[in-house]
Amino acid sequence: MLLDLFTHLTTSCSPYVRRLGYLDETISMRRRSRRYRTAWQPHLDNTRRFVLAVADRIQNRDKVVVLGSGLLLDVPLAELSAMFREVVLMDIVCLPEVHRQIKGYGNVSFVEHDVTAVAERLYTNRLQGIAELPKAVPAPSEFYKDAGLVISLNILSQLWVVPRTFASTQRPALPHDLVEDWCRQIVESHYASLASMSCDVCLVADQEFIKRDKGGSIISRASTLYDLRLPAPDASWTWNIVPAGNDGRSSSKELIVGAWHMRPMK
């Protein structure tokens, strides 16, 4: 807990990032990644292998952009640095230890970036007493200029989580269906942005969660992408994200992960 507090106090980020809870969520992710290290490792290994398999097919090695670089757990940074002239990591939070890792590579940089483009406007609207939920919009094309590959890394199902939590604190409360439609639009906007890019895209994202009881029987399952229709993945695996028996849990939670190599439209 002392490490978490120290990280919270020493991480440099925009005010809206801190106030909406993105920093706390990233610190919590770090804590979970350490607690469930063994259970998570197959997912991390599968992600890194798929990313490198796609990267190996790319002819334009000028630049690769990674959306959702996070804690770098699923980013094969050393390999990408060796394969591309420039590596641009993008996320809404970059913890100090991640910054230190990045500094070890002369051709790697980090850009604080919200791919949904809703977080700062959501925060500003709240300060101004505006209840409107801002629509997600694609990032300007200059973000991906000269890129031979853009990688969206395990974020598609997460883009709506923090904004929805913040929106739920709105008073008077917003209609549930309105908030759910807004979250769906955030997911659809990011996928549409990836599908419209003029370069190759590597997408890794969970599509469904499955909750099991201690005997392994399914208790519940649902889409993590608001039922977004996706083509059949090029690869798929299960992420044991919350193993049974941890912290006294009798149930477990799995995520069904898909991976796609999306080629540009000709």
Side-chain angles (χ1 to χ4, degrees):
M1 294 302 293
L2 288 177
L3 175 60
D4 290 351
L5 177 60
F6 179 77
T7 303
H8 183 87
L9 294 173
T10 58
T11 298
S12 175
C13 59
S14 298
Y16 77 90
V17 171
R18 190 178 294 271
R19 293 299 297 273
L20 262 69
Y22 284 102
L23 175 57
D24 287 338
E25 175 58 28
T26 302
I27 293 171
S28 177
M29 175 66 75
R30 181 180 67 181
R31 188 165 58 248
R32 293 194 300 273
S33 72
R34 292 172 178 176
R35 181 184 306 157
Y36 305 140
R37 186 190 309 271
T38 300
W40 285 21
Q41 197 60 53
H43 161 68
L44 300 178
D45 291 343
N46 284 333
T47 300
R48 293 163 68 95
R49 274 194 294 268
F50 187 82
V51 167
L52 289 176
V54 173
D56 193 52
R57 302 187 192 111
I58 304 303
Q59 294 184 347
N60 176 5
R61 300 291 181 87
D62 189 55
K63 180 167 71 175
V64 57
V65 178
V66 180
L67 305 176
S69 52
L71 301 171
L72 299 180
L73 300 176
D74 47 8
V75 180
L77 189 57
E79 293 88 341
L80 291 177
S81 175
M83 295 171 74
F84 290 84
R85 183 186 64 82
E86 180 183 6
V87 180
V88 180
L89 306 176
M90 291 185 174
D91 211 319
I92 202 163
V93 176
C94 187
L95 298 186
E97 66 261 33
V98 176
H99 269 299
R100 288 193 291 271
Q101 283 184 257
I102 293 171
K103 287 181 178 179
Y105 300 90
N107 63 338
V108 179
S109 61
F110 174 81
V111 177
E112 182 185 294
H113 175 57
D114 167 25
V115 299
T116 71
V118 303
E120 186 170 15
R121 288 180 292 147
L122 181 64
Y123 176 61
T124 301
N125 284 356
R126 177 69 61 86
L127 291 179
Q128 297 175 351
I130 300 172
E132 179 184 356
L133 297 174
K135 285 190 175 181
V137 295
S141 58
E142 58 262 27
F143 274 68
Y144 312 113
K145 184 180 180 181
D146 301 325
L149 175 64
V150 171
I151 303 169
S152 176
L153 208 53
N154 289 304
I155 61 170
L156 185 60
S157 69
Q158 299 301 303
L159 298 176
W160 53 268
V161 176
V162 171
R164 187 176 74 166
T165 299
F166 188 77
S168 70
T169 65
Q170 179 77 34
R171 296 293 178 268
L174 297 169
H176 175 76
D177 288 347
L178 175 67
V179 175
E180 293 300 285
D181 286 343
W182 177 61
C183 293
R184 181 178 295 105
Q185 191 267 327
I186 290 174
V187 173
E188 292 174 348
S189 175
H190 182 59
Y191 182 73
S193 175
L194 297 175
S196 68
M197 289 185 180
S198 59
C199 65
D200 286 70
V201 170
C202 173
L203 169 64
V204 181
D206 59 89
Q207 306 176 78
E208 182 183 27
F209 84 83
I210 299 175
K211 187 176 181 180
R212 299 182 184 274
D213 63 21
K214 61 181 179 181
S217 297
I218 296 176
I219 300 172
S220 60
R221 65 192 305 164
S223 170
T224 57
L225 299 177
Y226 283 88
D227 296 315
L228 175 69
R229 285 183 171 272
L230 295 172
D234 297 304
S236 183
W237 58 84
T238 299
W239 179 3
N240 189 11
I241 192 168
V242 182
N246 279 271
D247 304 325
R249 293 176 181 269
S250 59
S251 61
S252 64
K253 181 179 177 181
E254 301 170 355
L255 295 175
I256 306 303
V257 180
W260 295 262
H261 180 184
M262 302 166 62
R263 294 169 175 82
M265 298 288 290
K266 293 184 179 180

